[in-house]
Amino acid sequence: MKNSNGKQSLQKLLAMADVRIDGSRPWDIRVRKPAFYQRVMAGGSLALGESYMDGWWNCEALDQFFDKIMGAKLDKKVKTSTQLLWAVLKARLTNAQSRSKAYDVGKRHYDIGNDFFRVMLDKWMNYSCGYWRNAVTLDEAQEAKLDLVCRKTGLESGMRVLDIGCGWGGFAKYAAEKYGARVLGITVSREQVEFAGNFCRGLPVEIKLQDYRSLDEKFDRIISIGMFEHVGVRNYRTYMRIIRRCLTPDGLFLLHTIAGNTSTTSNDAWIEKYIFPNSMLPSAKQITAAAEGLFMLEDWHSFGAHYDHTLMAWHQNFKDNWDKIKDAYDQRFYRMWTYYLLSCAGAFRSRRNQLWQIVYSKEGVKGGYQSIR
């Protein structure tokens, strides 16, 4: 009876997003275990993701499924789970992104294997949104993004550049090779330090395992691509103060970050547990409040729809190359990453998630900043 009631409740909920249980369309779900209904109705987004990892349900096109349910804001209507309540409470009472926890996401996410990320990402090893305005392939989109960042910040030969959250060294390598910049890249991932060091060998690039809070030197340009999501709202003001301290008087700071439409203090429960621990998406209000009085806003560029294309390209690479890496992982890992990549694609497609590139100066660009697209 409980399962029946759970099924009926979930059917009504999904119908609001034009999703059917055991339907024939690509975005419909196929349920394998009757206990799925009560599990999801009680556990929300965490239970939905875990039950998919466990093989309790399938969907031919998860990206389309998530586009529909997030567009209909069904996640706001499902009963809040105790896990989510705890996550919100923890975010309010503790600093989940403190110095002592800064390296957790490196160990649990970015250190899972350079070989894994190499088969999924582009030739520059970018693990952030590509710029698809005139691009057809993932390599083209990511190179366009790197060049966009360099042009927006007016990068010139000899400039000293700080790359906060440098990943596998893609931007550092591009900025040094194409623009003659001298780059310091910092990351909280040991695997990334090893890879980036080799990737950028022979170039004026230094890669360090370092938390941003220990920075205290001057740079002409500061770049942060896909790292601010790990900073946390309690640390936004500190982050901005450190950037200001390290930026030369006429320097520019470019912030490239995923963002949300509303201010929160915690992450999605499933993403928090399985993908990005101690992370959260900033809002426009939170970013501007952190920067107020420290920087002058020069440019704000929104192209979140491009992340949909990027994630779909990553998923295609992941799926096409799974046989090359599957001996190092298991089927549950495969389902977890499939769910992660495609659910995020749906979140960007429905415009629930955003991607922003923001350019700041310390005192204002004389004569005005020229926006570049």
Side-chain angles (χ1 to χ4, degrees), residues 179-203:
Y179 283 82
R182 297 176 296 122
V183 186
L184 169 63
I186 66 169
T187 173
V188 294
S189 164
R190 293 185 183 278
E191 291 288 315
Q192 288 182 339
V193 168
E194 181 182 353
F195 186 97
N198 292 324
F199 197 43
C200 300
R201 183 169 290 155
L203 294 168

Side-chain angles (χ1 to χ4, degrees), residues 117-126 128-132 134-147 174 178 199 309-310 313-314 317:
F117 286 104
R118 188 185 286 113
V119 301
M120 187 179 80
L121 304 179
D122 65 295
K123 68 179 182 180
W124 293 96
M125 293 291 286
N126 287 280
S128 54
C129 183
Y131 191 52
W132 294 83
N134 298 308
V136 176
T137 68
L138 180 63
D139 280 351
E140 291 173 351
Q142 292 293 12
E143 188 156 341
K145 184 267 301 294
L146 295 175
D147 199 60
Y174 187 89
K178 307 292 185 180
F199 197 43
H309 299 299
T310 304
W314 287 345
N317 286 345

